[in-house]
Amino acid sequence: MYRIIMDCDPGHDDIIALMAMLAHPETFEILGITTVAGNQTIEKVTNNALKVLDYLGFSQIPVSQGAAKPLCREPEPQPDAHGESGLDGPVLPPAVSKTTGLHGVRFMEKILLEQTESVTLLATGPLTNVALLLELNPEAAKRIERICLMGGSLYGGNILPRSEFNIYHDPEAARIVFRSGIPIVMSGLEICDAAAVPLDAYPTLAGGGKASRLTVDMLDFYTEYSRVRGWSDSAIFDLTPVMQLLRPEIFTGENYAVDVETQGELCRGMTVADFTGTWDAPKSTCVLKTVDRDAYVQTFLESIRKLDSVIG
Ligand code: BDR
Ligand code: CA
């Protein structure tokens, strides 16, 4: 059983990652959700988390609003990828639930200090909240067993030629996290692309229950990016770290010391894995490298159908 704090910027793929966990209460206990500015403003991503939880019937999961901007930069929302709301596509009733009122970082701190068992931090947005936690309360941070994150790349980029969005958005925060020595499992662009879901796979959910319908509505919007480029599949980035926790046997990875470029003119937010062992730094990041895509896609679809039956 993984005891999870999810730090996220929902975002279609963040919500699908959350739904995959909600489908498996035997594997995931979600202790709370914290939000961070990324795909959209902090108010919008927080509202998206609340309204989806209300819609799916999981309003008891506490949501805390976190950092409104990166540590030393201005936010750069991504309406092209996620729309003006950050979750364009599905039409959901307005959120009824409220946030806890605690700042996301204070909430993480509280949850961690209360735990007697280890906690997995799942991070699917920029790493601002996580870095603040590590800086402000190292004692609480010691309770984190591992950080499973979507971010970075070995070679590629999606916001700059060599930079992935989550790390690009707050590179200074990402550097603090990658340098922390806490074990990290990194789902970078390459593994997310290797696990891309064929565009003709998710429509098989149409006609299903609430979770299936929400997934189809979200992916109809989200996969437009791939469709207009003539691609036959679409990476559901933030789902990958959840799938790795759920089906570790279908992945392989390799350990490296990973650091982040914060100053580069061309490479802001580039993650650099030390392939050569040059740095005197712990190889604390397991970079996921291969995945059985068929098993991944099947597990994703089964999870959404399972959530349909969990929520009834
Ligand atoms: C990441 O950026 C966001 O658009 C997604 O939610 C994902 O976390 C992919 O680069
Ligand atoms: Ca995200």
Side-chain angles (χ1 to χ4, degrees):
M1 170 73 91
Y2 295 108
R3 299 156 60 72
I4 300 279
I5 297 175
M6 182 180 191
D7 186 63
C8 56
D9 62 338
H12 302 73
D13 51 340
D14 303 75
I15 294 295
I16 291 175
L18 170 63
M19 290 167 74
M21 291 193 290
L22 294 173
H24 295 280
E26 72 289 354
T27 306
F28 300 104
E29 181 188 356
I30 303 177
L31 303 171
I33 294 176
T34 54
T35 56
V36 62
N39 287 326
Q40 261 300 350
T41 63
I42 191 64
E43 291 80 14
K44 289 181 181 178
V45 299
T46 305
N47 182 49
N48 292 338
L50 289 169
K51 73 180 179 189
V52 167
L53 288 173
D54 281 353
Y55 173 75
L56 294 174
F58 290 93
S59 313
Q60 79 282 4
I61 296 177
V63 175
S64 295
Q65 181 165 297
K69 52 185 288 204
L71 295 184
C72 5
R73 299 169 190 260
E74 290 308 308
E76 294 185 30
Q78 300 297 307
D80 287 352
H82 298 272
E84 280 305 326
S85 71
L87 194 63
D88 278 14
V91 180
L92 297 175
V96 175
S97 297
K98 304 274 181 246
T99 60
T100 61
L102 272 185
H103 189 282
V105 177
R106 292 296 174 206
F107 176 80
M108 282 198 233
E109 192 176 88
K110 176 173 175 291
I111 294 276
L112 286 165
L113 292 174
E114 279 170 7
Q115 297 310 305
T116 49
E117 292 170 61
S118 61
V119 172
T120 297
L121 186 52
L122 173 71
T124 61
L127 292 164
T128 319
N129 288 335
V130 184
L132 285 169
L133 174 77
L134 302 188
E135 292 289 290
L136 292 173
N137 198 329
E139 272 314 301
K142 279 188 194 148
R143 309 275 173 100
I144 301 171
E145 186 177 33
R146 75 179 79 73
I147 300 173
C148 298
L149 62 85
M150 189 285 131
S153 65
L154 287 176
Y155 310 103
N158 62 356
I159 183 101
L160 291 180
R162 292 293 304 271
S163 308
E164 181 279 329
F165 173 71
N166 286 339
I167 308 301
Y168 165 90
H169 199 256
D170 196 343
E172 287 77 16
R175 169 171 274 200
I176 290 171
V177 175
F178 278 99
R179 285 187 174 184
S180 70
I182 297 174
I184 291 173
V185 181
M186 172 176 144
S187 293
L189 289 177
E190 288 82 8
I191 194 69
C192 297
D193 286 341
V197 172
L199 296 182
D200 58 4
Y202 79 84
T204 60
L205 295 169
K210 259 181 143 175
S212 286
R213 293 198 302 275
L214 174 58
T215 303
V216 172
D217 288 349
M218 284 194 294
L219 288 181
D220 279 347
F221 181 91
Y222 177 83
T223 58
E224 189 59 18
Y225 186 91
S226 300
R227 261 179 247 284
V228 297
R229 288 165 176 75
W231 300 343
S232 60
D233 51 25
S234 181
I236 306 177
F237 300 100
D238 296 337
L239 178 63
T240 308
V242 173
M243 287 292 135
Q244 192 276 331
L245 289 168
L246 195 58
R247 299 284 314 273
E249 74 284 1
I250 68 171
F251 289 87
T252 66
E254 207 164 332
N255 276 68
Y256 298 104
V258 173
D259 208 334
V260 178
E261 177 57 63
T262 58
Q263 300 297 323
E265 187 188 341
L266 302 177
C267 300
R268 161 183 163 184
M270 178 173 75
T271 45
V272 180
D274 181 12
F275 298 129
T276 55
T278 306
W279 300 330
D280 180 19
K283 295 181 178 181
S284 52
T285 298
C286 174
V287 181
L288 298 181
K289 289 207 158 167
T290 69
V291 60
D292 175 342
R293 177 166 89 150
D294 290 344
Y296 181 105
V297 173
Q298 195 190 343
T299 306
F300 157 56
L301 296 173
E302 281 170 7
S303 298
I304 300 301
R305 291 194 185 102
K306 185 165 181 288
L307 184 58
D308 281 338
S309 51
V310 168
I311 62 186

